[in-house]
Amino acid sequence: MNSGFLHAVGKKAALSGRIVLTVLWILFAVLAGQGAAFASSPDAPTERLLAYAARIAGDDARTRVVLDFDRKPEFKVRYIASPDRIVIDLPATAFGIGEKELAPTGLFSDIRYGSVDDNSARLVLTAARPARLVTAEAVANEDGKGFRLVLDAELVPQQDFAALVAAQTWTPPAEAPKSIDPAQPSADSSASEFVIAIDAGHGGIDTGATGATTKTAEKDITLAFAKVLHDKLGKEPGIRAVLTRDADRFLSLSERVVVARQKGAQLLMSLHADTLRQSDIRGATVYTISDKASDHMAAQLAERENFSDTLGGVELPAETAEVNDILLDLTRRETQAFSISLAQAVVGSFEGQISLINNPHRHAGFRVLQAPDVPSILLELGFLSNKDDEKLLLDPVWREKVADLLVEAVKRYRAPLVANGG
Ligand SMILES: [Zn+2]
């Protein structure tokens, strides 16, 4: 629960505030369409399949994709619109596929594959033109060794693709949203603790940006940094840090928010290190959410960050009018003030200590920052497109320093709240 919000409404109104937030939260979760898709499975991870080779051939009317597996893959095909994608859901799979083996070809403008969580993996074929699979089968290899997954796609009229999407009964692997009841903080949380969610950007099938020189994946940099920050914040009295992910796994943007919320987070920091076309631009940037981007660069970055769900094969909820619901707006405005205060605290801590870009506090419509009642910032630690930034991002000493500055920023942010007994 956002303590500032409670102060604002007063102690007498605290209960109704809680109820309003609960309702808002459920509404948000439903709008986000994710439910508890992240809910950790009680099943022990099974031995992963191995996809050891792949090939693609075809033209813009017909395209064949083949993946070689060590064992027979169970799979499910889904179609998702805007952008048009064919998604193949697989059990846990290790991908030993060469970088060029699935280069976008023919009907497909982008091809991604990777893990989703311990028990599942995914292949996402983004269609340059609407396409459907006329063949999707796992065929035993003639030599008796392994199976190949054969996917034959052909061009279809847009309305046929729309019909395929509409005909699906697939729903996100969500359990009932009961597990997001905000009235029940997790057992290990204590009322006096200030909980901060650290969100390592990207993961699994979504690798994020790639380092200009070292080709290091953004998802690995964000996770390494998140762990350092997690440990440092955890050493502060009265603070508990939680990670939205602690391994190389895919989380949709709304799942990140749901996970943070479930863990009782009172702040969310999403960590990134993206690339820009202008490789000379370097330094950290702190983002807060807004409908209108502060500038072109912010708009571009938000678009790219939000594309994570597309890459991961996530179906986006249709924008609905309820998002603009007045109650949601009021809570958001309250939360927004705290988000801005946190962003300013971070910029204040960084100033003169690490390199910042011009106007380091910017805003845009980042989907990961949309929690209605958890103040949230997105931190671009630096740019992987700049080789000096890249060097720093990979430097453990620099990471420690930046993490220390962030701890300072959190303390600075909290000071007035603590003084008010929050
Ligand atoms: Zn990123």
Side-chain angles (χ1 to χ4, degrees), residues 312-367:
V314 174
E315 192 161 8
L316 296 184
E319 299 290 340
T320 61
E322 287 93 314
V323 173
N324 297 319
D325 182 278
I326 183 97
L327 273 177
L328 203 54
D329 261 10
L330 284 172
T331 313
R332 282 223 164 102
R333 222 168 293 156
E334 181 71 30
T335 303
Q336 177 73 342
F338 284 102
S339 301
I340 289 169
S341 149
L342 176 64
Q344 287 166 346
V346 171
V347 170
S349 284
F350 281 5
E351 259 164 4
Q353 299 293 319
I354 66 159
S355 114
L356 286 163
I357 72 166
N358 292 337
N359 307 318
H361 177 198
R362 301 183 182 217
H363 44 91
F366 292 94
R367 202 175 286 138

Side-chain angles (χ1 to χ4, degrees), residues 201-202 208-209 218 222 271-274 305 380:
H202 310 277
E218 182 186 358
T222 59
L271 304 171
H272 290 264
D274 278 272
E305 288 305 340
E380 292 284 355

Side-chain angles (χ1 to χ4, degrees), residues 78 87 116 122 124 205-206 250 307-314:
R78 289 185 282 131
V87 176
V116 175
R122 193 171 281 170
V124 181
I205 188 170
D206 168 25
F250 176 77
F307 197 61
S308 167
D309 281 351
T310 302
L311 295 180
V314 174

Side-chain angles (χ1 to χ4, degrees), residues 48-388:
R48 293 193 294 175
L49 292 171
L50 174 66
Y52 59 87
R55 54 213 163 269
I56 182 167
D59 53 34
D60 55 9
R62 285 172 168 279
T63 303
R64 167 173 281 195
V65 177
V66 180
L67 277 83
D68 293 312
F69 285 87
D70 61 337
R71 281 167 291 148
K72 185 172 184 176
E74 299 297 327
F75 66 94
K76 253 188 215 139
V77 176
R78 289 185 282 131
Y79 296 91
I80 304 181
S82 328
D84 296 347
R85 282 156 291 164
I86 302 176
V87 176
I88 316 296
D89 284 318
L90 293 159
T93 303
F95 290 91
I97 295 174
E99 213 178 305
K100 305 247 160 62
E101 290 178 15
L102 282 184
T105 301
L107 283 167
F108 301 115
S109 57
D110 189 274
I111 298 176
R112 306 272 161 163
Y113 49 83
S115 61
V116 175
D117 57 29
D118 290 345
N119 301 306
S120 62
R122 193 171 281 170
L123 170 68
V124 181
L125 307 166
T126 302
R129 307 171 69 192
R132 74 176 176 115
L133 293 183
V134 288
T135 305
E137 55 183 354
V139 185
N141 286 329
E142 288 70 19
D143 62 4
K145 285 181 194 144
F147 283 75
R148 59 189 191 277
L149 178 62
V150 180
L151 307 167
D152 283 328
E154 71 174 24
L155 181 68
V156 290
Q158 186 69 56
Q159 65 266 32
D160 288 15
F161 186 87
L164 281 171
V165 173
Q168 285 175 145
T169 51
W170 186 88
T171 48
E175 321 213 322
K178 59 181 187 295
S179 54
I180 56 163
D181 180 2
Q184 294 174 348
S186 59
D188 54 344
S189 81
S190 124
S192 60
E193 275 180 327
F194 187 73
V195 183
I196 303 174
I198 302 161
D199 176 53
H202 310 277
I205 188 170
D206 168 25
T207 52
T210 307
T213 315
T214 63
K215 307 288 175 218
T216 311
E218 182 186 358
K219 66 173 182 178
D220 297 328
I221 289 175
T222 59
L223 183 59
F225 188 88
K227 286 177 172 172
V228 173
L229 181 58
H230 174 266
D231 292 350
K232 285 199 187 283
L233 281 170
K235 289 193 183 113
E236 292 297 316
I239 291 181
R240 190 161 60 89
V242 296
L243 294 165
T244 54
R245 70 175 177 98
D246 59 2
D248 182 18
R249 60 180 302 233
F250 176 77
L251 281 176
S252 75
L253 298 170
S254 43
E255 278 168 357
R256 293 168 189 273
V257 179
V258 172
V259 169
R261 193 64 183 68
Q262 251 195 346
K263 295 187 174 189
Q266 288 148 290
L267 277 187
L268 176 117
M269 287 192 203
S270 188
L271 304 171
H272 290 264
D274 278 272
T275 53
L276 291 175
R277 218 165 291 156
Q278 309 90 315
S279 63
D280 55 323
I281 296 184
R282 59 172 304 199
T285 327
V286 189
Y287 287 96
T288 47
I289 197 168
S290 83
D291 296 342
K292 210 164 165 285
S294 54
D295 57 283
H296 183 61
M297 191 183 95
Q300 272 184 316
L301 270 173
E303 197 179 310
R304 194 123 43 83
E305 288 305 340
N306 292 344
F307 197 61
S308 167
D309 281 351
T310 302
L311 295 180
V314 174
E315 192 161 8
L316 296 184
E319 299 290 340
T320 61
E322 287 93 314
V323 173
N324 297 319
D325 182 278
I326 183 97
L327 273 177
L328 203 54
D329 261 10
L330 284 172
T331 313
R332 282 223 164 102
R333 222 168 293 156
E334 181 71 30
T335 303
Q336 177 73 342
F338 284 102
S339 301
I340 289 169
S341 149
L342 176 64
Q344 287 166 346
V346 171
V347 170
S349 284
F350 281 5
E351 259 164 4
Q353 299 293 319
I354 66 159
S355 114
L356 286 163
I357 72 166
N358 292 337
N359 307 318
H361 177 198
R362 301 183 182 217
H363 44 91
F366 292 94
R367 202 175 286 138
V368 74
L369 303 180
Q370 67 182 337
D373 63 340
V374 183
S376 305
I377 60 166
L378 184 143
L379 185 57
E380 292 284 355
L381 295 160
F383 291 104
L384 277 173
S385 40
N386 178 279
K387 57 183 194 316
D388 296 320

